[in-house]
């Protein structure tokens, strides 16, 4: 049994270090960047009062689907995100070999979480691609359904024994993920994702600023999603929970809301640009 496990880990390590995976990851990061650029653009439209639809990954996919050859583009994004899932799972299974046991366990767990996030985005892309293929609406109905589905699921979970605590714990976990992004922005921890060339010269300086602004903006947005989830659990109001769309709507309703939302939109766009930089200067 040990020999089989060792052989499987060896094969996983070979795959993790292979050239084909390197190209696949770069393609996936381009797709990831496109999604964030679209979300940033939708947030800016919302800030200027030019949009009423979903400002989320679903809305971004729907907006992309409405472009020329949009269905093909969304399928390519879905494929790229699926490749990122494969990368992170291989990383969790065969990566981080040079780390201490505790650090290795933490990084493997982080890789699994990231794989889940990429998988959720990939599923969203597939749903939008299939719905836009069935009708010319670009899957607009799917965006509405996704929000009500989230609220319905939250309401069901809250009725479980300890359901409120579970939703609250999930919200705290989301807040923690947002704080992690803010911390990486503050400490420049994201720089480890770029190779030496990607951190040097004027171009490298621009990439680093994209990372700082992008990680800070995404951390703030994710933290707001977590805060809404915790509030929903504390008040037993499932309707108060929601995703990025509802969080940005909450920002819009605050004093100086359009300005704040515009800043977040630009920041999320910077996160997308940093993903492009990672695709070009991937540290492996």
């Amino acid at each position: 049994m040990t020999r089989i496990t060792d052989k499987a880990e060896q094969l996983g390590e070979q795959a993790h270090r292979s050239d084909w995976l390197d190209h696949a990851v770069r393609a996936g990061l381009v797709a990831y960047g496109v999604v964030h650029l679209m979300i940033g653009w939708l947030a800016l439209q919302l800030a200027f009062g030019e949009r009423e639809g979903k400002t989320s990954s679903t809305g971004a996919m729907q907006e992309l689907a409405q472009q020329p050859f949009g269905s093909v583009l969304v399928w390519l994004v879905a494929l790229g995100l699926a490749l990122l899932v494969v990368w992170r799972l291989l990383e969790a299974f065969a990566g981080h070999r040079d780390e201490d046991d505790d650090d290795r366990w933490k990084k493997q767990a982080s890789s699994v979480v990231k794989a889940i996030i990429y998988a959720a985005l990939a599923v969203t892309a597939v749903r939008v691609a299939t719905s836009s293929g069935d009708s010319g609406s670009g899957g607009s109905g799917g965006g509405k359904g996704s929000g009500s589905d989230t609220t319905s699921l939250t309401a069901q979970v809250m009725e479980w024994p300890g359901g409120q605590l579970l939703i609250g714990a999930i919200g705290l976990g989301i807040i923690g993920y947002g704080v992690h992004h803010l911390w990486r922005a503050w400490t420049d921890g994201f720089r480890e994702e770029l190779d030496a060339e990607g951190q040097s010269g004027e171009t490298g300086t621009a990439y680093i600023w994209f990372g700082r602004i992008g990680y800070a903006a995404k951390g703030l947005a994710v933290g707001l999603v977590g805060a809404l989830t915790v509030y929903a659990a504390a008040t037993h109001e499932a309707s108060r929970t929601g995703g990025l769309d509802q969080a940005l709507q909450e920002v819009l309703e605050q004093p100086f809301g359009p300005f704040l939302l515009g800043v977040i939109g630009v920041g999320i766009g910077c996160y997308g640009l940093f993903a492009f930089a990672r695709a070009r200067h991937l540290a492996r």
Side-chain angles (χ1 to χ4, degrees), residues 34 38 58-79 124-139:
V34 168
M38 295 301 299
T58 300
M61 302 295 184
Q62 291 169 354
E63 184 76 10
L64 191 61
Q66 293 172 9
Q67 308 308 311
F69 306 103
S71 182
V72 174
L73 292 175
V74 176
W75 276 114
L76 289 175
V77 167
L79 175 60
T124 298
V126 170
R127 286 179 176 175
V128 171
T130 53
S131 63
S132 65
D134 293 337
S135 65
S137 61

Side-chain angles (χ1 to χ4, degrees), residues 84-167:
L84 290 182
V85 174
V86 174
W87 171 41
R88 289 304 187 184
L89 290 178
L90 284 172
E91 190 175 62
F93 183 71
H96 312 301
R97 296 294 179 184
D98 54 346
E99 303 287 345
D100 295 334
D101 288 343
D102 289 342
D103 290 339
R104 179 184 175 189
W105 181 87
K106 291 177 183 177
K107 290 191 175 183
Q108 286 177 324
S110 176
S111 295
V112 171
V113 170
K114 290 175 182 177
I116 293 172
I117 293 172
Y118 295 146
L121 289 173
V123 169
T124 298
V126 170
R127 286 179 176 175
V128 171
T130 53
S131 63
S132 65
D134 293 337
S135 65
S137 61
S140 58
K144 296 178 182 179
S146 62
S148 60
D149 288 348
T150 300
T151 301
S152 176
L153 178 60
T154 302
Q156 292 177 23
V157 173
M158 281 189 182
E159 297 305 319
W160 297 354
Q164 278 183 268
L165 292 176
L166 177 58
I167 294 298

